[in-house]
Amino acid sequence: MNYEAKLNELGFELPEVAKPVAAYVPALKFGDMATTSGQLPMKAGELVCKGKVGADVTIEQANAAAQVCCLNALAALKSVIGDLDSIEKIVKVVGYVQSADDFYDQPKVINGASELLLEIFGDAGRHARAAVGLNALPLNASVELEITVKLK
């Protein structure tokens, strides 16, 4: 399966790897696994979704931002593994949602990434997941995402 072609078929393309905002690497390969650092909803160097979900940002806006984070994570993975077709399985997704005090729908936000991974990778895209609500995220981002994969 050509996962990048599937991504394009769905109307998406991989962006350039987002530059780190601190002292870390965007992704790391170790043995038959690879993982990303937290990826923000950045497009062309600009944060596309800022503020607290449930106050400043709607679930729909944050869900779309989770997709952007997912694309950035896939780009970061590709930069260390060479080709998305090297991915055997999406193992785990950890999503962070900058949440208003009374916002409890973090899973609905992170579904933006999870559903995209299922569309791209099919059964290999089924993963373990955490959707965590936080008071603040770097740069006032609404969403941040990490992905861990097993390689062929």
Side-chain angles (χ1 to χ4, degrees):
M1 179 65 176
N2 185 323
Y3 293 131
E4 203 161 341
K6 179 65 176 176
L7 187 76
N8 294 335
E9 201 176 286
L10 293 168
F12 297 100
E13 59 183 69
L14 288 181
E16 292 293 319
V17 177
K19 294 194 185 329
V21 297
Y24 60 88
V25 294
L28 187 65
K29 180 181 179 232
F30 51 101
D32 66 348
M33 303 286 286
T35 192
T36 69
S37 295
Q39 299 293 315
L40 301 177
M42 303 288 278
K43 281 187 178 180
E46 297 293 322
L47 194 61
V48 297
C49 194
K50 295 181 183 179
K52 293 185 184 293
V53 182
D56 312 309
V57 176
T58 67
I59 290 174
E60 295 77 19
Q61 290 168 319
N63 182 283
Q67 282 188 339
V68 174
C69 293
C70 185
L71 293 170
N72 287 334
L74 292 174
L77 285 168
K78 182 180 176 183
S79 76
V80 296
I81 65 174
D83 188 341
L84 293 184
D85 288 338
S86 299
I87 296 173
E88 179 178 321
K89 179 78 178 157
I90 305 295
V91 176
K92 187 163 187 181
V93 171
V94 180
Y96 305 97
V97 181
Q98 183 181 187
S99 302
D101 289 343
D102 60 348
F103 182 76
Y104 306 106
D105 284 328
Q106 290 82 6
K108 289 181 182 175
V109 171
I110 303 306
N111 275 349
S114 292
E115 290 168 355
L116 180 58
L117 291 169
L118 287 169
E119 285 186 76
I120 298 165
F121 295 95
D123 226 27
R126 294 193 186 286
H127 53 271
R129 186 180 89 177
V132 182
L134 300 168
N135 186 51
L137 284 173
L139 307 178
N140 196 27
S142 297
V143 184
E144 184 173 353
L145 194 79
E146 302 172 13
I147 297 177
T148 301
V149 300
K150 182 174 186 315
L151 304 171
K152 295 177 183 170

